[in-house]
Amino acid sequence: MNLDDYSKMKDEIIKLISRTERIVTNDHHRDLLESSCQKLFENRFNLVVMGQFKRGKTTFINALLGQDLLPTAIIPLTSIITIIKYGESLKIRIFFSDNKAKDIQLDELPLYITEKYNPKNEKGVHHAEIFYPSSYLQNGVQIVDTPGIASIHGHNTEVTYQYLPNADAAIFLISVDPPITQAEFDFLNDLKKDISKIFFILNKIDIANDQDWEESLKYTKKIIEKEVGLNDVTIFPLSARDALLGKMQNDQEKLNESGLLSFESTLEEFLMKEKGNVLLNTAINRTLTVISQETLFTQLKQRSLHTPLNELEEKRKALTDMFSKVNRDRIDNEYLLNGEVQTLIKQVLEVDLENLKREKTTWLINDMKELYKAHQKESNKEFARSLDDYLTSQIKDIFNQWRSHEDKVIRTHLEKILQRFTLRVNEITEHILTFSSELFNIPMDVLIAKESLSIETSFWFRLYEPLDTLSMTIDFITNMLPKGLAHKLIFKKICRRAEILVDQHCGRLRYDFINRIEKTVKDYKYALNQSVDIIIKNIDSLLQSAQDAKKKTAEEVSILEEEINEKIQELAKIRQDFENIQQVLLPIVLKG
Ligand SMILES: Nc1nc2c(ncn2[C@@H]2O[C@H](COP(=O)(O)OP(=O)(O)OP(=O)(O)O)[C@@H](O)[C@H]2O)c(=O)[nH]1
Ligand SMILES: [Mg+2]
């Protein structure tokens, strides 16, 4: 299956959802259908391109897009996360750390996203978004360019690390020259903890002859498998430069020889299987849920029109009793959820933070003992500066890396907790629907699809800004002391400072994580609870209107009945169409 087939399937499903939307009467159902369509339109998949500086990441993205869009250079260049997403026409927007945004022209782009024109990110750019009409980016795939790691610009590495939790899959670039380095192994070892799918690319094969790059390929594969502990690594050899030229000059031969096409087809297949499958299935299930609930409600309405008033009142009483029992179950369920969240905070987050604090403080102090020896010859001032610089840079690295790793840990736990909560809510929903249909002798052949929500990924995209650490100053008296004594005092002071900084950062991270966990749980709980409330309210109000209908004239009742019959028939028809389409579509999706 290719992207075209996928687009057709998606369009069919969107059409069916719109047809359903036209006939439903319940506002909540309409919202659900609308948001399903919206998700189908814009579901995001972050494909992040990473690697050491100058491996050709940016050139490679240009090659995928077939256009010389992003700035590339011989010197370390990209310094800002640049997200490329689908748009009808080219549009570039720069987002700043103070939440402001600004639209710019293509030729202004280097002024914001490169180390050369925006050194040390003096312009305070948070990230850049480029909207571009490319078939790659349709269906919600976003390609993300990241600053190269391990260049002399340490802050660039940091930016890339912070973006790791948002990656759904990574493309990791290495190149024929020079061979893979220790810095790349270290980075890969961190990457594999966070990202389940990594594509490897050996770039710049054009600068070596076939024999040389094939040798380089074998060597790189073997050493990645050994050093990073990955099995059966596939590496795609290619020349991003030639692929870009081939596409831009319409030179098919150059493009074929560049090696890009083989990578592109593997990538497409992966995107279809991983993303397409989940996405389409979710939309189909959502719509079927709405259809079955609407059908049930309409049938209930139909039955109650023919139920004598006293019987109707009895049934309503039975339903009210059931609702209050259900509400008690819901309170218990929330209680369980809150307990599990508190356990997550206490037994995972706080334990991890405690370990981090202990390990890193000891580690930092030991490291500084080494530094103490190495810098003995320096003047008091220089000595203080050396230790202080080292501490500041270590603190940044430690907390950025820990945070991006812990994000994944917490998210995995939280997803499991919310899944259990959802299962319990689904049982409650099913109970309400079965009880009501049995009460009115309505056959429950309607499928009751389960509610499932996903944690909003956007919520997790918040960069962690390390605390501004004011440099340590040494006082006049210490400065005047003889070296040996002064160094001892400075060392003591810096060790104390290390403890304080670690402690402050742990505190801040604790606060940050707890806030995010609680907000996620609150939003999730609200959304699920709302879906139960709406069912209860609906059943109750349709019984009320059936009671009111008893006062209507025979003619009014028969008009009402006709409307109801029409709606039931139309719902059945849509459902049939849906199932037909599902039968055609799903085997294709599943086959990938
Ligand atoms: N010969 C050859 N040169 C390439 C290829 N791909 C990229 N380059 C060159 O390598 C240099 C670096 O390319 P970029 O795309 O800027 O590399 P990058 O990985 O994005 O670099 P940073 O943003 O600094 O991390 C540029 O001079 C490119 O022209 C290739 O396939 N073959
Ligand atoms: Mg770049």
Side-chain angles (χ1 to χ4, degrees), residues 65-89:
L65 301 173
Q67 173 80 43
D68 217 346
L69 195 67
L70 305 173
T72 60
I74 296 174
I75 47 162
L77 199 69
T78 313
S79 61
I80 299 292
I81 296 287
T82 307
I83 302 172
I84 305 138
K85 43 170 83 172
Y86 186 78
E88 295 290 324
S89 58

Side-chain angles (χ1 to χ4, degrees), residues 273-449:
K273 265 199 196 142
E274 297 292 310
K275 197 63 189 166
N277 208 346
V278 176
L279 191 56
L280 297 185
N281 271 321
T282 312
I284 290 173
N285 282 337
R286 261 279 157 89
T287 316
L288 284 175
T289 311
V290 168
I291 292 180
S292 52
Q293 282 191 12
E294 282 276 335
T295 309
L296 179 63
F297 291 159
T298 322
Q299 282 172 330
L300 275 176
K301 206 164 168 182
Q302 189 185 38
R303 285 293 155 98
S304 50
L305 272 185
H306 297 288
T307 311
L309 188 58
N310 57 348
E311 208 179 301
L312 203 57
E313 276 165 356
E314 265 170 39
K315 288 193 195 298
R316 207 169 164 204
K317 164 100 184 39
L319 280 170
T320 315
D321 288 349
M322 182 267 288
F323 292 151
S324 45
K325 188 191 160 297
V326 156
N327 280 332
R328 283 196 297 277
D329 289 349
R330 291 170 73 189
I331 293 170
D332 289 349
N333 192 11
E334 282 200 19
Y335 192 74
L336 274 175
L337 172 69
N338 293 341
E340 286 190 67
V341 171
Q342 285 316 313
T343 312
L344 171 67
I345 293 174
K346 292 251 152 3
Q347 290 182 6
V348 180
L349 177 67
E350 286 181 349
V351 170
D352 287 352
L353 272 169
E354 225 15 78
N355 288 338
L356 174 80
K357 195 153 108 184
R358 205 181 39 244
E359 279 166 21
K360 292 302 174 190
T361 315
T362 324
W363 184 83
L364 274 172
I365 289 175
N366 281 340
D367 247 28
M368 268 175 326
K369 277 186 193 151
E370 296 292 314
L371 229 64
Y372 186 116
K373 284 187 216 138
H375 292 265
Q376 258 170 356
K377 294 212 172 67
E378 289 178 357
S379 74
N380 291 348
K381 260 203 174 132
E382 280 165 358
F383 178 78
R385 162 90 48 84
S386 302
L387 262 58
D388 196 48
D389 284 353
Y390 176 79
L391 178 62
T392 312
S393 84
Q394 289 302 312
I395 289 278
K396 275 192 183 173
D397 283 359
I398 290 170
F399 285 96
N400 278 331
Q401 287 182 26
W402 185 83
R403 197 235 195 207
S404 75
H405 174 66
E406 190 74 1
D407 250 13
K408 292 268 166 172
V409 174
I410 295 291
R411 187 212 276 248
T412 311
H413 280 284
L414 201 54
E415 260 163 11
K416 286 199 186 115
I417 293 175
L418 292 178
Q419 223 169 17
R420 287 194 286 272
F421 176 72
T422 312
L423 279 180
R424 298 190 295 262
V425 173
N426 279 339
E427 275 169 22
I428 290 175
T429 313
E430 202 165 332
H431 177 68
I432 299 175
L433 295 176
T434 326
F435 187 95
S436 318
S437 55
E438 278 172 8
L439 194 65
F440 282 88
N441 291 323
I442 296 170
M444 274 289 286
D445 61 336
V446 282
L447 152 135
I448 298 175

Side-chain angles (χ1 to χ4, degrees), residues 51-62 71-79 145-149 151 156 173 203-207 238-243:
Q52 188 166 306
F53 66 102
K54 297 289 68 113
R55 292 308 202 179
K57 298 177 290 299
T58 307
T59 310
F60 171 76
I61 293 178
N62 285 342
T72 60
I74 296 174
I75 47 162
L77 199 69
T78 313
S79 61
D145 194 9
T146 62
I149 55 142
S151 77
N156 287 349
L173 261 76
N203 191 27
K204 306 197 190 181
I205 57 168
D206 57 284
I207 57 173
L238 57 86
S239 161
R241 192 196 64 177
D242 287 355

